Amino acid sequence: MEITLRPYQLSDVDDFMEWACDDEVILRSRLRHYSSKEDAVSYLKEVAMPHPWYRAICLDDNRPIGFISFMPASTECDRCRGVISYALGKKYWGQGITTVAVKKTVSIVFEEFPHVERVEGFVNVENKESQRVLEKAGFLKEGVLRKYIIVKGKTIDVVMYSLLSADPIST
């Protein structure tokens, strides 16, 4: 099984909705529910496609089964870092796909963004599976940030992870 990363296209909307509208995926990510195909097309057109680095996670058939993104920091004083985010369709959980996508992404990010020295990942403290993804990809747990972000109207604690450009990327 080959895992590839590519930019989203509007023609991906049906595949996107297949996994992005799953209640369990939504519960474990910061994605919101897309109430219609038009709503999902708007998201792809206005968020995913213009994003600095937002990719579809695809298997052999090139159909999106999730997403992974990297958002570089926007100010001069913190341009040395950025944040990784991801979500995967439920039927693909537990197969190591997200870990491979994270490893590929950080390799690409450190190459395409030479000023980036640190990739950060923030994971809900209750999402042990996502924490394990980052750990298997070589990220180090730095600590818990209490009441850090609001997700779906609820303030949550997150575990902060980081990977530095000088750190070995596990293969």
Side-chain angles (χ1 to χ4, degrees):
M1 162 173 52
E2 181 172 355
I3 298 160
T4 58
L5 309 175
R6 66 164 175 80
Y8 265 96
Q9 304 160 358
L10 291 180
S11 59
D12 293 324
V13 68
D14 291 328
D15 294 321
F16 174 80
M17 286 188 71
E18 184 178 318
W19 64 267
C21 290
D22 182 301
D23 289 338
E24 287 193 64
V25 173
I26 292 169
L27 181 67
R28 287 174 175 76
S29 70
R30 293 183 202 132
L31 291 173
R32 61 179 179 80
H33 184 75
Y34 302 94
S35 55
S36 67
K37 187 171 183 175
E38 294 75 28
D39 192 24
V41 165
S42 290
Y43 176 81
L44 291 176
K45 194 185 300 185
E46 296 167 17
V47 177
M49 293 169 69
H51 190 284
W53 207 93
Y54 191 112
R55 301 292 186 265
I57 299 172
C58 302
L59 292 182
D60 302 317
D61 61 3
N62 206 31
R63 292 181 55 219
I65 60 166
F67 89 91
I68 191 158
S69 70
F70 172 75
M71 177 58 89
S74 58
T75 64
E76 189 61 33
C77 66
D78 60 3
R79 67 185 291 254
C80 62
R81 62 188 163 90
V83 177
I84 193 168
S85 301
Y86 47 82
L88 190 70
K90 180 184 172 189
K91 69 181 179 181
Y92 300 99
W93 291 356
Q95 300 177 36
I97 294 167
T98 308
T99 301
V100 170
V102 168
K103 290 177 183 182
K104 285 182 178 223
T105 297
V106 294
S107 291
I108 293 166
V109 161
F110 288 137
E111 204 170 292
E112 289 184 10
F113 298 87
H115 58 280
V116 171
E117 298 176 67
R118 175 186 172 90
V119 175
E120 299 172 340
F122 300 90
V123 180
N124 185 325
V125 294
E126 297 173 5
N127 191 339
K128 303 299 183 198
E129 295 82 4
S130 189
Q131 292 176 45
R132 186 71 187 120
V133 164
L134 292 178
E135 290 166 0
K136 288 192 308 187
F139 281 68
L140 296 177
K141 179 179 179 178
E142 294 188 336
V144 174
L145 303 172
R146 300 180 306 147
K147 301 293 182 198
Y148 190 71
I149 58 172
I150 299 171
V151 177
K152 297 167 185 69
K154 181 182 173 192
T155 307
I156 66 165
D157 298 347
V158 297
V159 182
M160 181 179 209
Y161 285 87
S162 71
L163 182 74
L164 305 181
S165 57
D167 292 342
I169 297 172
S170 60
T171 53

